[in-house]
Amino acid sequence: MSLRTRLLAVSSAVLLLVTALTGGPAPAAPPGGYLVGVGIGDITGEAAEVGMLGYADPGQTTAGLASRQWARAFVVADAAGRHVAFVSTEIDFVSQAVQQEVLRRLAAEHGDVYGDANVVITATHTHSGPGGFSEYTLWNLTTFGFEAPVFEAIVSGIVRAIDAADASLAPGTVKIAEGTLRGANVNRSLPAFRADPPADQARFPDAVDTRMTVLRFEQGGTGVGMIDFFPTHGTSMTPSNHLISADNKGYAAHLIEDGVHGVDWAHRGAFVAAFAQTNAGDMSPNLRDGGALGPTDDEFENTRIIGQRQADKAQELYASATEELTGPIDFRGRYVDFSDVEVSGAYTPDGQPHHTCPGALGQNFTAGAEDGPGPPIVDEGDMRTNPLLLLAGIVVNPTPPDVRACQAPKQVFLGTGSQHPPWTPQVMPLQVLRIGQLAVTTAPGEFTIVAGQRVRDAVDAELSGVTTHQILAGYANTYAGYVATPEEYDLQHYEGAATHFGRYTGPAYEQELAKLAAALRDGRTTPSTVRPPALPQNRISARPGVVLDTPPLGKSFGSVLVQPGAAYGRGATVRVDFVTGHPNNNLRDEGTFVEIQRQAGGQWHTVVTDSEWQTTYRWEREYLSVSTAHITWTVPADTPAGTYRVVHHGDAKNLLGVITPFTGASRAFTVG
């Protein structure tokens, strides 16, 4: 058991003891005030040989860690006992299976305090995490099926984060600040944006959404957390990357938690900073060539640059936040079957009623986006029928003629909503939540900036006089592709081709979310007539998993293959290679594969783990069942002079399937 794990176990035991001795109930919110709490949980999935989710490339599989993935939770409760939980997860998207299992476990522990109307689970949309945590076929194609360990890591980490936030509830405040950030996103789909009416375009000079909103959470006047909302894709790391990475938003969170508030690995959760998405559908962090290339030619440096820019502006807004959210907490949620929503003419460009369609992906979807191009089969915006894709779609995923007609002008490639069971979700979770004068609108798509603005306008129209601020939190509670405006849809660029429910997908979201906002305003209930289906039959994996680990001849697990040098200056990179086992034997969530230790008083003390961005852990299969851990540590500029060593923790499986932990340590070296 690592030092990190032991500390967490002791802390949990102390918390349980204190709860038992004091009776355990959370304090009551002061009249007109709030209780606030924050929490964090490790959600890092399998670090080797599992397909990564985001770029749809089966060849992009995990091979180590650049950073761990975290779920960050924030709970606010009012004097009436109404709770809202907002969770930001460092994954590509939230699957419906994850959302439903989290809600099930919360209900078992907390009763009816947390449910599908007041728990928001969002994703930062990193493209560098392991996949396989959905029950829908399309999302598991690149992982060759369902990955139970990844699913469990995500679900249990989210629940731990919410539990920690709930347990830490104390009288406090939530403050809001708004500003703008330039230089952290570009529009990667300009032709589609230019198809929108001039009035829509005029709201976004330079075709980008520069708005940033920060919520500051305090307990007794002391800051304990922040949520930053800003739209930019999690694609600073490229399709060639094989290390798990939380990408630019994860790096921004690290800079605030560790850099500003001094939260090291041993005090994780003392301050929690989340960097969440809004309408990032056409917003790319790759600032060159229309979203194709990052600020530099180094993907790690690009991650740091875009993360640093978000962190700097967020900290500025956090420091200047003075407007306090006051007033009741309330929420409305509802599941809607988006395969056939009747959309009123009040929300359509021609003023006539229309309807949505069963989900489908267009041929131009295969072209990919500028920062994640697909194979050279078809170009974005090419409206001609591609015979190869038409035939492939008919063979593997046939689409009825009426669905093809409904989806026009999209040339359908995959009729994902027409299968039994469907290959992508059709029942969408929608929410509108109120925290005083702030409305939080949630939906499970990647909204382009104009599509997102239209949703905000529709909700604002219903909540005028009730709220004065609104956040649209995309990538929430499940995932159903992109949401382009009808005008953008007609061009069938990547975002339009990946808009699942047809030309009127965006107007349907506007309408249904406006209904929830009106119900919240008027105090009406919003019962759901449909529920997401459970698809346990799809929890099948084609991967064999770990079979056996063996060390090379004459070596043992934990043996050092490449020792560090004798001395390093600050800014240098230390590398040590170890004989290792397969990391999927033990994900070591809330633990670590790596420790950097400093010698003091004749004892070794851990100063860094793999939860810090200054280390990398690369796993490599040498041959058959023999593998190597390549560990690096880039020595920070403020590292104290002294004697250090690198420690590696791993686990090995023998022929009988027994998994045994091991630890190896490098020789000592100096920094100074």
Side-chain angles (χ1 to χ4, degrees):
M1 181 183 291
S2 71
L3 179 60
R4 161 80 169 149
T5 305
R6 291 195 298 271
L7 283 172
L8 282 167
V10 171
S11 298
S12 298
V14 170
L15 178 60
L16 289 172
L17 178 61
V18 170
T19 300
L21 293 175
T22 61
Y34 298 142
L35 297 175
V36 301
V38 300
I40 189 168
D42 190 348
I43 58 172
T44 310
E46 292 172 294
E49 300 185 315
V50 171
M52 302 176 91
L53 188 60
Y55 288 118
D57 179 0
Q60 188 193 18
T61 55
T62 57
L65 296 174
S67 67
R68 284 195 170 268
Q69 300 166 279
W70 300 97
R72 294 175 170 88
F74 305 79
V75 173
V76 186
D78 64 9
R82 290 182 291 257
H83 291 59
V84 165
F86 184 95
V87 186
S88 174
T89 62
E90 293 174 337
I91 55 180
D92 185 68
F93 60 72
V94 179
S95 73
Q96 207 149 59
V98 164
Q99 183 230 18
Q100 293 295 297
E101 180 61 16
V102 167
L103 292 175
R104 187 191 69 78
R105 296 188 191 185
L106 290 176
E109 184 173 353
H110 300 279
D112 61 359
V113 174
Y114 299 106
D116 47 19
N118 67 338
V119 174
V120 184
I121 310 174
T122 67
T124 63
H125 200 46
T126 175
H127 284 41
S128 292
F133 50 87
S134 174
E135 290 181 334
Y136 286 94
T137 300
L138 187 69
W139 308 138
N140 290 346
L141 287 178
T142 59
T143 56
F144 302 106
F146 185 80
E147 290 295 328
V150 177
F151 175 82
E152 179 58 31
I154 293 170
V155 169
S156 59
I158 292 171
V159 173
R160 283 195 303 273
I162 296 174
D163 284 347
D166 182 87
S168 71
L169 283 169
T173 58
V174 183
K175 297 176 180 177
I176 187 170
E178 298 172 330
T180 59
L181 171 62
R182 297 188 179 278
N185 57 7
V186 297
N187 196 314
R188 69 181 191 190
S189 194
L190 276 174
F193 173 80
R194 298 300 182 203
D196 286 316
D200 288 313
Q201 295 183 47
R203 302 179 73 169
F204 298 100
D206 302 320
V208 293
D209 187 350
T210 61
R211 293 171 293 186
M212 178 179 282
T213 301
V214 168
L215 300 181
R216 173 174 177 146
F217 294 80
E218 298 179 349
Q219 291 178 341
T222 299
V224 294
M226 64 174 282
I227 311 176
D228 173 89
F229 293 90
F230 180 77
T232 196
H233 252 69
T235 52
S236 291
M237 299 297 288
T238 69
S240 64
N241 171 57
H242 291 269
L243 298 182
I244 292 174
S245 171
D247 212 276
N248 57 69
K249 288 188 177 290
Y251 187 66
H254 154 75
L255 290 175
I256 297 297
E257 290 175 349
D258 298 21
V260 175
H261 294 276
V263 180
D264 63 15
W265 64 275
H267 301 90
R268 184 69 59 188
F271 187 94
V272 178
F275 282 74
Q277 292 284 13
T278 57
N279 38 223
D282 48 1
M283 297 290 97
S284 173
N286 300 309
L287 307 181
R288 294 183 292 159
D289 292 358
L293 299 172
T296 75
D297 293 330
D298 182 334
E299 61 186 336
F300 291 91
E301 184 63 17
N302 295 338
T303 298
R304 289 189 287 267
I305 289 171
I306 301 301
Q308 182 81 60
R309 290 176 183 176
Q310 291 177 82
D312 288 348
K313 185 63 182 183
Q315 178 59 25
E316 175 190 320
L317 293 175
Y318 175 87
S320 65
T322 56
E323 182 183 348
E324 186 175 330
L325 299 183
T326 59
I329 288 174
D330 206 353
F331 41 83
R332 293 293 185 275
R334 185 168 176 253
Y335 293 101
V336 177
D337 184 351
F338 261 65
S339 67
D340 188 18
V341 175
E342 293 294 332
V343 185
S344 163
Y347 298 96
T348 62
D350 62 3
Q352 298 301 310
H354 294 279
H355 60 89
T356 58
C357 326
L361 295 170
Q363 293 181 7
N364 303 81
F365 166 77
T366 67
E370 285 71 12
D371 44 9
I377 299 174
V378 65
D379 295 326
E380 283 191 279
D382 187 347
M383 304 299 287
R384 296 171 297 179
T385 300
N386 183 292
L388 175 63
L389 293 178
L390 177 63
L391 178 61
I394 291 173
V395 170
V396 303
N397 203 272
T399 307
D402 61 321
V403 175
R404 290 186 179 277
C406 180
Q407 289 276 352
K410 179 189 290 177
Q411 292 281 356
V412 173
F413 169 41
L414 297 175
T416 59
S418 300
Q419 311 312 305
H420 302 286
W423 280 30
T424 55
Q426 307 296 291
V427 177
M428 300 294 101
L430 304 178
Q431 298 163 308
V432 177
L433 308 96
R434 178 189 177 190
I435 306 174
Q437 66 267 36
L438 170 67
V440 180
T441 303
T442 82
E446 302 188 52
F447 289 75
T448 65
I449 56 177
V450 174
Q453 185 59 53
R454 290 180 181 179
V455 166
R456 295 187 196 207
D457 290 345
V459 170
D460 280 341
E462 303 297 338
L463 294 180
S464 177
V466 178
T467 58
T468 55
H469 302 277
Q470 186 191 167
I471 293 167
L472 171 60
Y475 307 89
N477 298 318
T478 191
Y479 182 71
Y482 283 76
V483 183
T485 67
E487 297 89 342
E488 295 164 354
Y489 183 90
D490 288 345
L491 268 67
Q492 282 298 290
H493 279 241
Y494 173 75
E495 292 80 8
T499 294
H500 284 209
F501 305 108
R503 190 174 190 266
Y504 300 99
T505 300
Y509 278 111
E510 296 170 45
Q511 171 182 283
E512 298 305 310
L513 287 164
K515 288 180 181 177
L516 287 180
L520 186 150
R521 178 198 64 210
D522 298 339
R524 291 182 281 109
T525 60
T526 55
S528 297
T529 58
V530 291
R531 302 284 302 184
L535 302 172
Q537 68 271 30
N538 286 353
R539 295 193 179 194
I540 301 171
S541 177
R543 288 195 325 109
V546 181
V547 177
L548 174 68
D549 295 297
T550 56
L553 187 63
K555 301 291 184 180
S556 59
F557 292 112
S559 294
V560 179
L561 299 172
V562 175
Q563 291 281 7
Y568 294 88
R570 296 174 181 88
T573 298
V574 181
R575 173 177 168 175
V576 183
D577 292 356
F578 294 88
V579 176
T580 194
H582 203 293
N584 295 359
N585 290 326
N586 181 353
L587 306 189
R588 295 187 167 266
D589 283 335
E590 306 293 355
T592 185
F593 292 105
V594 178
E595 292 185 36
I596 308 301
Q597 297 182 340
R598 182 171 183 262
Q599 193 175 48
Q603 301 291 321
W604 289 103
H605 303 274
T606 301
V607 294
V608 175
T609 70
D610 65 14
S611 65
E612 306 296 314
W613 283 67
Q614 57 200 259
T615 64
T616 62
Y617 160 47
R618 296 180 185 271
W619 179 86
E620 181 180 7
R621 184 186 294 280
E622 301 291 353
Y623 55 89
L624 298 176
S625 53
V626 176
S627 59
T628 302
H630 306 282
I631 294 171
T632 65
W633 176 43
T634 300
V635 184
D638 59 353
T639 300
T643 301
Y644 292 80
R645 70 177 183 179
V646 177
V647 174
H648 170 48
H649 301 289
D651 302 86
K653 178 183 283 190
N654 67 17
L655 277 171
L656 299 177
V658 177
I659 296 174
T660 304
F662 63 84
T663 296
S666 76
R667 69 187 181 192
F669 57 91
T670 61
V671 172

PDB file of all heavy atoms in Angstrom, residues 232-254:
ATOM      1  N   THR A 232     -13.074  25.486 -24.774  1.00  0.00           N
ATOM      2  CA  THR A 232     -11.998  25.106 -25.689  1.00  0.00           C
ATOM      3  C   THR A 232     -11.818  23.603 -25.611  1.00  0.00           C
ATOM      4  O   THR A 232     -11.937  23.010 -24.539  1.00  0.00           O
ATOM      5  CB  THR A 232     -10.683  25.849 -25.371  1.00  0.00           C
ATOM      6  OG1 THR A 232      -9.789  25.742 -26.472  1.00  0.00           O
ATOM      7  CG2 THR A 232     -10.005  25.322 -24.119  1.00  0.00           C
ATOM      8  N   HIS A 233     -11.555  22.979 -26.737  1.00  0.00           N
ATOM      9  CA  HIS A 233     -11.492  21.517 -26.811  1.00  0.00           C
ATOM     10  C   HIS A 233     -10.316  20.948 -26.018  1.00  0.00           C
ATOM     11  O   HIS A 233      -9.293  21.614 -25.836  1.00  0.00           O
ATOM     12  CB  HIS A 233     -11.378  21.077 -28.276  1.00  0.00           C
ATOM     13  CG  HIS A 233     -12.622  20.458 -28.818  1.00  0.00           C
ATOM     14  ND1 HIS A 233     -13.762  21.169 -29.047  1.00  0.00           N
ATOM     15  CD2 HIS A 233     -12.917  19.172 -29.167  1.00  0.00           C
ATOM     16  CE1 HIS A 233     -14.703  20.373 -29.544  1.00  0.00           C
ATOM     17  NE2 HIS A 233     -14.217  19.145 -29.605  1.00  0.00           N
ATOM     18  N   GLY A 234     -10.472  19.697 -25.603  1.00  0.00           N
ATOM     19  CA  GLY A 234      -9.385  18.980 -24.945  1.00  0.00           C
ATOM     20  C   GLY A 234      -8.531  18.246 -25.954  1.00  0.00           C
ATOM     21  O   GLY A 234      -8.339  17.030 -25.863  1.00  0.00           O
ATOM     22  N   THR A 235      -7.984  19.010 -26.902  1.00  0.00           N
ATOM     23  CA  THR A 235      -7.217  18.418 -28.001  1.00  0.00           C
ATOM     24  C   THR A 235      -5.853  19.066 -28.160  1.00  0.00           C
ATOM     25  O   THR A 235      -5.300  19.093 -29.259  1.00  0.00           O
ATOM     26  CB  THR A 235      -8.006  18.529 -29.325  1.00  0.00           C
ATOM     27  OG1 THR A 235      -8.415  19.896 -29.523  1.00  0.00           O
ATOM     28  CG2 THR A 235      -9.232  17.633 -29.315  1.00  0.00           C
ATOM     29  N   SER A 236      -5.285  19.569 -27.075  1.00  0.00           N
ATOM     30  CA  SER A 236      -3.902  20.036 -27.153  1.00  0.00           C
ATOM     31  C   SER A 236      -2.966  18.844 -27.346  1.00  0.00           C
ATOM     32  O   SER A 236      -1.969  18.926 -28.062  1.00  0.00           O
ATOM     33  CB  SER A 236      -3.525  20.815 -25.886  1.00  0.00           C
ATOM     34  OG  SER A 236      -4.208  22.055 -25.823  1.00  0.00           O
ATOM     35  N   MET A 237      -3.284  17.728 -26.693  1.00  0.00           N
ATOM     36  CA  MET A 237      -2.570  16.483 -26.939  1.00  0.00           C
ATOM     37  C   MET A 237      -3.125  15.864 -28.217  1.00  0.00           C
ATOM     38  O   MET A 237      -4.335  15.860 -28.447  1.00  0.00           O
ATOM     39  CB  MET A 237      -2.717  15.524 -25.762  1.00  0.00           C
ATOM     40  CG  MET A 237      -2.170  16.051 -24.446  1.00  0.00           C
ATOM     41  SD  MET A 237      -0.391  16.367 -24.433  1.00  0.00           S
ATOM     42  CE  MET A 237       0.252  14.690 -24.435  1.00  0.00           C
ATOM     43  N   THR A 238      -2.252  15.324 -29.051  1.00  0.00           N
ATOM     44  CA  THR A 238      -2.619  14.920 -30.402  1.00  0.00           C
ATOM     45  C   THR A 238      -2.968  13.431 -30.485  1.00  0.00           C
ATOM     46  O   THR A 238      -2.759  12.683 -29.529  1.00  0.00           O
ATOM     47  CB  THR A 238      -1.457  15.210 -31.360  1.00  0.00           C
ATOM     48  OG1 THR A 238      -0.375  14.304 -31.048  1.00  0.00           O
ATOM     49  CG2 THR A 238      -0.980  16.651 -31.224  1.00  0.00           C
ATOM     50  N   PRO A 239      -3.432  12.976 -31.655  1.00  0.00           N
ATOM     51  CA  PRO A 239      -3.730  11.545 -31.817  1.00  0.00           C
ATOM     52  C   PRO A 239      -2.498  10.648 -31.693  1.00  0.00           C
ATOM     53  O   PRO A 239      -2.650   9.436 -31.536  1.00  0.00           O
ATOM     54  CB  PRO A 239      -4.321  11.467 -33.232  1.00  0.00           C
ATOM     55  CG  PRO A 239      -4.873  12.824 -33.492  1.00  0.00           C
ATOM     56  CD  PRO A 239      -3.946  13.761 -32.796  1.00  0.00           C
ATOM     57  N   SER A 240      -1.302  11.208 -31.763  1.00  0.00           N
ATOM     58  CA  SER A 240      -0.091  10.394 -31.620  1.00  0.00           C
ATOM     59  C   SER A 240       0.270  10.137 -30.159  1.00  0.00           C
ATOM     60  O   SER A 240       1.156   9.331 -29.872  1.00  0.00           O
ATOM     61  CB  SER A 240       1.095  11.078 -32.321  1.00  0.00           C
ATOM     62  OG  SER A 240       1.406  12.316 -31.684  1.00  0.00           O
ATOM     63  N   ASN A 241      -0.419  10.776 -29.244  1.00  0.00           N
ATOM     64  CA  ASN A 241      -0.124  10.607 -27.824  1.00  0.00           C
ATOM     65  C   ASN A 241      -0.690   9.289 -27.297  1.00  0.00           C
ATOM     66  O   ASN A 241      -1.796   8.885 -27.646  1.00  0.00           O
ATOM     67  CB  ASN A 241      -0.737  11.761 -27.023  1.00  0.00           C
ATOM     68  CG  ASN A 241      -0.659  11.517 -25.523  1.00  0.00           C
ATOM     69  OD1 ASN A 241       0.413  11.310 -24.981  1.00  0.00           O
ATOM     70  ND2 ASN A 241      -1.802  11.533 -24.868  1.00  0.00           N
ATOM     71  N   HIS A 242       0.073   8.632 -26.412  1.00  0.00           N
ATOM     72  CA  HIS A 242      -0.383   7.384 -25.798  1.00  0.00           C
ATOM     73  C   HIS A 242      -0.373   7.453 -24.267  1.00  0.00           C
ATOM     74  O   HIS A 242      -0.609   6.433 -23.617  1.00  0.00           O
ATOM     75  CB  HIS A 242       0.482   6.215 -26.266  1.00  0.00           C
ATOM     76  CG  HIS A 242       0.288   5.865 -27.712  1.00  0.00           C
ATOM     77  ND1 HIS A 242      -0.639   4.944 -28.135  1.00  0.00           N
ATOM     78  CD2 HIS A 242       0.880   6.352 -28.828  1.00  0.00           C
ATOM     79  CE1 HIS A 242      -0.598   4.864 -29.469  1.00  0.00           C
ATOM     80  NE2 HIS A 242       0.321   5.712 -29.910  1.00  0.00           N
ATOM     81  N   LEU A 243      -0.102   8.618 -23.710  1.00  0.00           N
ATOM     82  CA  LEU A 243      -0.094   8.766 -22.259  1.00  0.00           C
ATOM     83  C   LEU A 243      -1.421   9.364 -21.797  1.00  0.00           C
ATOM     84  O   LEU A 243      -1.909  10.336 -22.382  1.00  0.00           O
ATOM     85  CB  LEU A 243       1.052   9.671 -21.811  1.00  0.00           C
ATOM     86  CG  LEU A 243       2.469   9.198 -22.117  1.00  0.00           C
ATOM     87  CD1 LEU A 243       3.479  10.203 -21.562  1.00  0.00           C
ATOM     88  CD2 LEU A 243       2.727   7.813 -21.560  1.00  0.00           C
ATOM     89  N   ILE A 244      -1.989   8.790 -20.743  1.00  0.00           N
ATOM     90  CA  ILE A 244      -3.192   9.372 -20.159  1.00  0.00           C
ATOM     91  C   ILE A 244      -2.885  10.805 -19.737  1.00  0.00           C
ATOM     92  O   ILE A 244      -1.907  11.072 -19.042  1.00  0.00           O
ATOM     93  CB  ILE A 244      -3.674   8.548 -18.961  1.00  0.00           C
ATOM     94  CG1 ILE A 244      -4.172   7.174 -19.427  1.00  0.00           C
ATOM     95  CG2 ILE A 244      -4.789   9.276 -18.212  1.00  0.00           C
ATOM     96  CD1 ILE A 244      -4.544   6.239 -18.293  1.00  0.00           C
ATOM     97  N   SER A 245      -3.721  11.727 -20.178  1.00  0.00           N
ATOM     98  CA  SER A 245      -3.502  13.145 -19.879  1.00  0.00           C
ATOM     99  C   SER A 245      -4.839  13.847 -19.717  1.00  0.00           C
ATOM    100  O   SER A 245      -5.766  13.623 -20.504  1.00  0.00           O
ATOM    101  CB  SER A 245      -2.699  13.824 -20.994  1.00  0.00           C
ATOM    102  OG  SER A 245      -2.667  15.234 -20.811  1.00  0.00           O
ATOM    103  N   ALA A 246      -4.930  14.720 -18.735  1.00  0.00           N
ATOM    104  CA  ALA A 246      -6.125  15.544 -18.542  1.00  0.00           C
ATOM    105  C   ALA A 246      -6.115  16.771 -19.444  1.00  0.00           C
ATOM    106  O   ALA A 246      -7.002  17.616 -19.342  1.00  0.00           O
ATOM    107  CB  ALA A 246      -6.255  15.960 -17.083  1.00  0.00           C
ATOM    108  N   ASP A 247      -5.115  16.875 -20.313  1.00  0.00           N
ATOM    109  CA  ASP A 247      -5.011  17.914 -21.328  1.00  0.00           C
ATOM    110  C   ASP A 247      -5.006  19.317 -20.698  1.00  0.00           C
ATOM    111  O   ASP A 247      -4.674  19.472 -19.522  1.00  0.00           O
ATOM    112  CB  ASP A 247      -6.105  17.752 -22.384  1.00  0.00           C
ATOM    113  CG  ASP A 247      -5.646  18.218 -23.772  1.00  0.00           C
ATOM    114  OD1 ASP A 247      -5.724  19.432 -24.036  1.00  0.00           O
ATOM    115  OD2 ASP A 247      -5.192  17.376 -24.566  1.00  0.00           O
ATOM    116  N   ASN A 248      -5.344  20.329 -21.500  1.00  0.00           N
ATOM    117  CA  ASN A 248      -5.116  21.709 -21.054  1.00  0.00           C
ATOM    118  C   ASN A 248      -5.952  22.088 -19.836  1.00  0.00           C
ATOM    119  O   ASN A 248      -5.477  22.822 -18.966  1.00  0.00           O
ATOM    120  CB  ASN A 248      -5.340  22.698 -22.210  1.00  0.00           C
ATOM    121  CG  ASN A 248      -6.713  22.618 -22.835  1.00  0.00           C
ATOM    122  OD1 ASN A 248      -7.720  22.969 -22.233  1.00  0.00           O
ATOM    123  ND2 ASN A 248      -6.772  22.144 -24.085  1.00  0.00           N
ATOM    124  N   LYS A 249      -7.168  21.587 -19.725  1.00  0.00           N
ATOM    125  CA  LYS A 249      -7.977  21.945 -18.562  1.00  0.00           C
ATOM    126  C   LYS A 249      -7.468  21.256 -17.296  1.00  0.00           C
ATOM    127  O   LYS A 249      -7.541  21.816 -16.202  1.00  0.00           O
ATOM    128  CB  LYS A 249      -9.454  21.628 -18.822  1.00  0.00           C
ATOM    129  CG  LYS A 249     -10.078  22.606 -19.824  1.00  0.00           C
ATOM    130  CD  LYS A 249     -11.566  22.444 -19.952  1.00  0.00           C
ATOM    131  CE  LYS A 249     -12.150  23.487 -20.892  1.00  0.00           C
ATOM    132  NZ  LYS A 249     -12.130  24.862 -20.331  1.00  0.00           N
ATOM    133  N   GLY A 250      -6.944  20.051 -17.433  1.00  0.00           N
ATOM    134  CA  GLY A 250      -6.340  19.399 -16.286  1.00  0.00           C
ATOM    135  C   GLY A 250      -5.095  20.124 -15.821  1.00  0.00           C
ATOM    136  O   GLY A 250      -4.841  20.237 -14.612  1.00  0.00           O
ATOM    137  N   TYR A 251      -4.305  20.624 -16.774  1.00  0.00           N
ATOM    138  CA  TYR A 251      -3.107  21.368 -16.398  1.00  0.00           C
ATOM    139  C   TYR A 251      -3.484  22.681 -15.719  1.00  0.00           C
ATOM    140  O   TYR A 251      -2.840  23.099 -14.743  1.00  0.00           O
ATOM    141  CB  TYR A 251      -2.233  21.643 -17.620  1.00  0.00           C
ATOM    142  CG  TYR A 251      -0.902  22.274 -17.269  1.00  0.00           C
ATOM    143  CD1 TYR A 251       0.048  21.568 -16.539  1.00  0.00           C
ATOM    144  CD2 TYR A 251      -0.609  23.580 -17.646  1.00  0.00           C
ATOM    145  CE1 TYR A 251       1.263  22.147 -16.199  1.00  0.00           C
ATOM    146  CE2 TYR A 251       0.611  24.166 -17.323  1.00  0.00           C
ATOM    147  CZ  TYR A 251       1.539  23.438 -16.594  1.00  0.00           C
ATOM    148  OH  TYR A 251       2.745  24.020 -16.246  1.00  0.00           O
ATOM    149  N   ALA A 252      -4.544  23.327 -16.199  1.00  0.00           N
ATOM    150  CA  ALA A 252      -5.014  24.554 -15.551  1.00  0.00           C
ATOM    151  C   ALA A 252      -5.423  24.277 -14.114  1.00  0.00           C
ATOM    152  O   ALA A 252      -5.098  25.055 -13.193  1.00  0.00           O
ATOM    153  CB  ALA A 252      -6.181  25.146 -16.338  1.00  0.00           C
ATOM    154  N   ALA A 253      -6.136  23.171 -13.888  1.00  0.00           N
ATOM    155  CA  ALA A 253      -6.533  22.811 -12.524  1.00  0.00           C
ATOM    156  C   ALA A 253      -5.315  22.575 -11.644  1.00  0.00           C
ATOM    157  O   ALA A 253      -5.274  23.008 -10.486  1.00  0.00           O
ATOM    158  CB  ALA A 253      -7.412  21.564 -12.554  1.00  0.00           C
ATOM    159  N   HIS A 254      -4.303  21.907 -12.183  1.00  0.00           N
ATOM    160  CA  HIS A 254      -3.056  21.678 -11.449  1.00  0.00           C
ATOM    161  C   HIS A 254      -2.393  23.004 -11.064  1.00  0.00           C
ATOM    162  O   HIS A 254      -1.914  23.167  -9.929  1.00  0.00           O
ATOM    163  CB  HIS A 254      -2.113  20.831 -12.310  1.00  0.00           C
ATOM    164  CG  HIS A 254      -0.667  21.001 -12.017  1.00  0.00           C
ATOM    165  ND1 HIS A 254      -0.056  20.463 -10.903  1.00  0.00           N
ATOM    166  CD2 HIS A 254       0.307  21.665 -12.687  1.00  0.00           C
ATOM    167  CE1 HIS A 254       1.224  20.775 -10.899  1.00  0.00           C
ATOM    168  NE2 HIS A 254       1.474  21.508 -11.972  1.00  0.00           N
TER     169      HIS A 254
END
